Every structure is written in C-alpha cells, then in structure tokens.
Amino acid sequence: MTKQNISKFFGSLLMVLVLVGLAGCLPTVPGEKEVEQEEKDSTKDDKAAKDDDVIVAGTVDTSSDYSFEVIGACVGMEEYSDEPVVILLGEFTNNSDEAISSSWALDCVAYQSGHELRDAYLRGAGAYTYDNIEPGVTTPVLIGWKLVSATDSIEITVIDRKHYAKEVLFQEKYTVEQLLANTKKLLDGFDGVVDEGKDFVV
C-alpha cells in the first residue's frame, strides 16, 4: 500500500466517523465520577508490575521485528452506539521474515480514570487490523477505545507482543484538550484529499 493510498484510507475513515469536539466539548460520559480510589491504586500497582517486564524503544533494546509510526490521536463517536471514543491512527510495518497481522503482532491498550478502556468498533478498519501482511509491507492501523470520562487524560501504549521483553513501540498520554485539537488538525489536513460522497479505494 502506498503512502498516498494510506492517506486516502485515513481521510475516508475520519470522514465517515461522526467526529466531536468541533463544537467545543465532549459529551458527558455517564459514571465518570464513580471510579473508586482502590481501583485506581490497584491499576497503578498492576501497571508498575507490568512495566518491570517491558523495555522502552530507544533505551535498552530496540530489536523489534515491527515498527509502528503514529500519525495522531483524535476523538470521535462509535458508529452504532454513539459512544465517545479515542482513536489512534498509525502505520504498521512488518520487518519480520513471516506474514503477520498488526493485531497479532501488537498489543494496544488505553487507560483512563484508572480503567483499561474497552475496544470500540470502527467501520472499515478491521480488515487492515486482522489481515496478514507480507514482510516489508506497511499497512494502516486505526484503533478505537470507548471513553469513560469526558475530562480525564488517556494513556495509550503499543507493545510488540512477540518480542522476548515485550518492547514498547509507542507510549503517550493525551489530555482531552489535546485530542480535540488533534481532531480538528487531522480533519483540516485531510480536507480535499477525499471526496466525502465517494467510497474510499485502497
């Protein structure tokens, strides 16, 4: 897949999502005040234990057979439930010697308010996530998680699940304000790239 086709893919998917934030704020998410401190502390302890078992790219070891380049993160609405979601856009490259899918090679998780977020359905993204790609091939990756708070920051981590030390390929924390700004910037960047009235072709 060429860089031009990848851009068309991302632009088309963003256009079919009902993106929020352009009006100024996210909708209120029910139950965001119900998170117990014990759950937060427990999650932090679990995360600290996991951190002992992983290595961060660019530090001790960067021997992963895969690369994951992040284009950006934004906010939107899940198509069928109308729930607010955070969306990570990236490009997965298979540098190994065997065909593999990004979903099998990468472990992508997001946390907010002390909770690991549930996956969100993004129409059109599944084939690129679950289909195997040959060595040397790059494919789009678009992953969504359902938000549990309209105000708390979101931390996203992408790990090479097949690496002996679970190498971290990407880790970033986003505030809601950053995600809203990214949403507008991404839409502006894809303006004119895709005709909203046509299906995308890759």
Side-chain angles (χ1 to χ4, degrees):
M1 179 178 289
T2 66
K3 290 283 186 180
Q4 182 179 11
N5 284 338
I6 288 174
S7 292
K8 288 182 179 179
F9 167 81
F10 283 133
S12 298
L13 276 180
L14 285 174
M15 296 304 180
V16 300
L17 291 171
V18 182
L19 293 169
V20 300
L22 302 183
C25 63
L26 278 169
T28 299
V29 181
E32 65 182 79
K33 299 299 183 182
E34 298 175 2
V35 178
E36 296 293 337
Q37 187 61 42
E38 287 184 9
E39 292 179 348
K40 288 186 177 182
D41 293 341
S42 175
T43 302
K44 288 179 181 178
D45 292 340
D46 292 343
K47 187 176 184 300
K50 290 179 182 178
D51 288 344
D52 292 337
D53 300 328
V54 301
I55 54 176
V56 178
T59 57
V60 181
D61 184 3
T62 54
S63 58
S64 175
D65 288 330
Y66 317 108
S67 66
F68 184 70
E69 179 182 349
V70 172
I71 295 173
C74 60
V75 287
M77 300 291 283
E78 192 176 44
E79 184 175 1
Y80 295 112
S81 68
D82 288 336
E83 292 183 77
V85 299
V86 57
I87 303 166
L88 184 69
L89 303 94
E91 294 176 4
F92 168 72
T93 302
N94 179 11
N95 296 316
S96 72
D97 57 3
E98 61 180 3
I100 195 168
S101 67
S102 63
S103 64
W104 186 247
L106 306 178
D107 186 13
C108 307
V109 295
Y111 282 87
Q112 186 186 37
S113 307
H115 290 273
E116 181 174 351
L117 301 182
R118 292 179 297 152
D119 294 339
Y121 172 73
L122 302 177
R123 179 164 62 93
Y128 296 93
T129 301
Y130 297 107
D131 287 356
N132 287 345
I133 61 171
E134 294 294 325
V137 174
T138 298
T139 190
V141 175
L142 196 147
I143 308 165
W145 296 273
K146 298 178 182 180
L147 297 174
V148 296
S149 169
T151 57
D152 291 348
S153 297
I154 300 97
E155 183 172 0
I156 299 174
T157 303
V158 178
I159 295 173
D160 177 351
R161 73 164 75 232
K162 295 178 73 67
H163 190 272
Y164 74 94
K166 308 301 181 189
E167 184 180 339
V168 176
L169 303 180
F170 173 78
Q171 188 170 47
E172 189 65 62
K173 179 177 283 188
Y174 298 94
T175 65
V176 171
E177 290 75 18
Q178 287 173 324
L179 292 172
L180 293 176
N182 289 348
T183 302
K184 187 177 187 308
K185 184 177 180 180
L186 284 166
L187 285 176
D188 290 345
F190 287 116
D191 186 31
V193 174
V194 180
D195 185 343
E196 295 183 46
K198 297 181 180 179
D199 292 334
F200 62 90
V201 179
V202 294

